[in-house]
Amino acid sequence: MYKDKKFFDLSYYKFTGSWAWILHRLSGLALIFYLSAHIWVISTISKGPEGFNRVMGVLASPLFKLLEIGLWGVILFHAFNGIRVVIVDFWKGSLNHKKLFYIMIFIAFALWVAGGYLIISHM
Amino acid sequence: MSKEKRVIKILRYDPANDKKPHWVDYTGEYDSDSTILDVLNEIHWKIDGSLAYRRSCRSAICGSCAMKVNGQNILACETPIHKFKGKIKIEPLPGFSIIKDLVVDMDLFFEKLKKVKPYLIVDKPLPDKEFTQSPEEFEHIRESVTCILCGACTSSCPSLWGNEDYLGPAALLRAYRFIFDTRDDGANDRMDIVNDKNGIWRCHTIFNCMEACPKDIKITEYLSRLKVKIVENSI
C-alpha cells in the first residue's frame, strides 16, 4: 500500500470555504509573528529611553507605515472571518457561508480603506 | 451524439512494481455524455486490463466509485466527461492509502464509522409494530440518512489530511443521524465519543465535504448543529 505523507493536498480544488480557511490560518500565523515582534519592540524600553527612542525612530519610517497598513488588513481579515466561523458554527451560517464570506470581506475591506487613509494622513 | 477526442490521465500504482504512483496518459474518442466510469471501463476492457478501480451499481447509490477527478472528489458513475475541459486527471481519493491504481484502503474509514455506534440504541420497550416517527421528527434526519458512505467527504477534508485519526465528516454525520433520531436513546454515549480531541472539534468549517458530497448533503450544517447540541449539553 502507498500512503502519501503530505499533510495538505495542494492539488485539491479550492472553493470559497478552503480559501477562507487557508487565509485564516496564514493571517493567524502572521499575527503571532507580529505580536512576538511587538513584544520585542516594547521590551527595548527596559534598556532606557535612548534605546527605545532609537527603535521608535526606525518604526516611524514610511516602510513601517506601509507595513502597518498591511497589518491592519491582516487583523481585519482574521477578525471578520473569525466572526464568520462563529456564525457558521453556532448560528446556521453554513447554509449561506459563501455569501457570508463576501459580506465579511466587504466590511473588512471598507474598514481597511478607512483605517489605511487615517494612517497615511498621519504620516 | 458527438464523439470527441479526450486525453485521460490516470494516476497508476502497482504495489508489486512501483515505489510511487505515476501518471499514465490514455487518448480516446468518447461520447460527450459518457461518464468517467464509462471511460474507465473502456480503458479497462479495450486498452489495459490491469487498471484497477471499484465500481458496482453505476447508479450513484453503492458508493464504490468515489475518486478525485480534476482536483475534486466525485462519483465516477454519475459525472459526465463534458463537465471537464481539457485533460481529465483521474486520481484515487486523497488522504487514504492506495492499494492499487484507483483502489484505496477504506478500513480506517469504516473503523471510524463503527466508533460512533452507527445503529439504533433503544432502552425503552420496542413497539409491537413499526417504530414510527412523525414527518416533523424525520425532517431532522431526512437528508443525513441518504449518505451512501462513498468516502468523498472524509477524503476531501484538510483536517483529515493533517491527522488521519480525525473521525471525519462521514462518521460524524452518521453520529448526527442517530443523535437527532427521536427514537434513539444512545445520544449521550455518542456525544461523549464525538466530543473528543480527534472528534467534531477538528471540523474547521472548510466546506470541502459539502462540495464533494454526491448526495448534496449539507454536512457542515449538521455538524454545526451537533456542535451546538454538545455545547448546550455541557453547560
Side-chain angles (χ1 to χ4, degrees):
Chain A
M1 262 196 292
Y2 176 83
K3 172 79 181 160
D4 212 335
K5 288 280 182 285
K6 63 190 173 203
F7 75 98
F8 191 77
D9 187 344
L10 286 170
S11 67
Y12 201 90
Y13 189 83
K14 314 283 187 304
F15 302 96
T16 313
S18 327
W19 284 120
W21 175 70
I22 292 166
L23 292 174
H24 199 76
R25 290 267 151 138
L26 291 178
S27 58
L29 285 174
L31 290 177
I32 290 174
F33 173 75
Y34 162 73
L35 280 174
S36 316
H38 180 67
I39 290 166
W40 175 79
V41 165
I42 298 297
S43 75
T44 58
I45 203 162
S46 64
K47 289 171 189 139
E50 260 180 43
F52 183 69
N53 284 340
R54 200 165 50 235
V55 175
M56 279 298 153
V58 175
L59 296 188
S61 71
L63 172 72
F64 279 93
K65 286 287 166 200
L66 280 177
L67 284 174
E68 237 167 55
I69 296 172
L71 173 69
W72 176 231
V74 171
I75 291 171
L76 283 171
F77 175 80
H78 199 78
F80 279 89
N81 191 54
I83 294 169
R84 170 184 160 272
V85 170
V86 174
I87 296 173
V88 162
D89 261 344
F90 295 115
W91 209 39
K92 300 198 174 193
S94 50
L95 302 175
N96 291 306
H97 72 99
K98 286 183 185 172
K99 218 183 278 173
L100 204 56
F101 178 72
Y102 293 112
I103 291 171
M104 289 303 177
I105 287 289
F106 178 78
I107 300 172
F109 184 75
L111 288 172
W112 182 68
V113 171
Y117 173 76
L118 282 177
I119 294 172
I120 290 171
S121 60
H122 283 80
M123 263 165 88
Chain B
M1 236 179 299
S2 64
K3 278 194 180 269
E4 52 185 286
K5 201 174 162 189
R6 299 300 299 257
V7 179
I8 316 289
K9 287 171 84 79
I10 301 180
L11 196 65
R12 304 277 319 252
Y13 169 71
D14 178 3
N17 300 314
D18 303 331
K19 276 194 172 143
K20 281 173 80 175
H22 56 95
W23 291 100
V24 179
D25 287 12
Y26 301 90
T27 310
E29 294 216 335
Y30 303 100
D31 294 332
S32 61
D33 53 0
S34 301
T35 63
I36 297 290
L37 184 62
D38 293 334
V39 169
L40 289 174
N41 284 339
E42 193 103 343
I43 292 169
H44 180 68
W45 292 333
K46 294 182 184 162
I47 302 172
D48 188 348
S50 71
L51 175 68
Y53 55 103
R54 285 197 180 103
R55 64 181 159 81
S56 181
C57 74
R58 53 140 188 79
S59 344
I61 201 66
C62 73
S64 304
C65 64
M67 52 189 72
K68 181 177 154 198
V69 179
N70 284 14
Q72 203 195 337
N73 289 352
I74 50 108
L75 283 187
C77 65
E78 66 159 8
T79 311
I81 56 170
H82 65 68
K83 234 188 108 178
F84 306 102
K85 292 196 170 61
K87 286 178 187 165
I88 297 176
K89 292 170 78 177
I90 307 176
E91 296 167 68
L93 287 176
F96 294 154
S97 300
I98 306 170
I99 296 173
K100 186 173 189 265
D101 297 336
L102 303 173
V103 178
V104 292
D105 180 20
M106 302 283 281
D107 284 358
L108 200 56
F109 175 80
F110 287 111
E111 261 170 49
K112 289 172 189 166
L113 185 77
K114 281 182 202 152
K115 267 189 195 164
V116 301
K117 304 187 177 180
Y119 39 82
L120 204 67
I121 300 171
V122 186
D123 293 338
K124 47 192 173 281
L126 285 167
D128 291 337
K129 288 184 178 173
E130 298 98 308
F131 203 169
T132 54
Q133 279 193 302
S134 71
E136 291 76 29
E137 286 169 338
F138 179 64
E139 192 57 34
H140 293 295
I141 57 167
R142 184 178 55 80
E143 225 179 65
S144 57
V145 295
T146 61
C147 171
I148 57 172
L149 295 175
C150 64
C153 58
T154 296
S155 152
S156 75
C157 177
S159 293
L160 182 102
W161 301 339
N163 172 14
E164 65 173 3
D165 295 326
Y166 169 46
L167 280 176
L172 290 169
L173 183 75
R174 193 49 62 105
Y176 167 89
R177 180 248 175 276
F178 284 103
I179 289 169
F180 282 76
D181 190 321
T182 48
R183 299 163 296 184
D184 187 83
D185 296 316
N188 287 335
D189 215 10
R190 284 197 197 89
M191 280 198 277
D192 282 344
I193 296 163
V194 160
N195 189 12
D196 178 72
K197 74 172 162 59
N198 288 320
I200 194 153
W201 305 108
R202 287 207 183 265
C203 165
H204 301 303
T205 61
I206 304 164
F207 289 97
N208 271 10
C209 55
M210 242 161 90
E211 303 280 358
C213 181
K215 294 288 152 190
D216 292 331
I217 303 171
K218 296 186 276 295
I219 305 169
T220 316
E221 166 62 17
Y222 299 124
L223 297 199
S224 295
R225 287 186 203 175
L226 192 49
K227 285 174 188 168
V228 172
K229 194 172 172 85
I230 290 172
V231 171
E232 281 172 351
N233 257 37
S234 54
I235 48 175

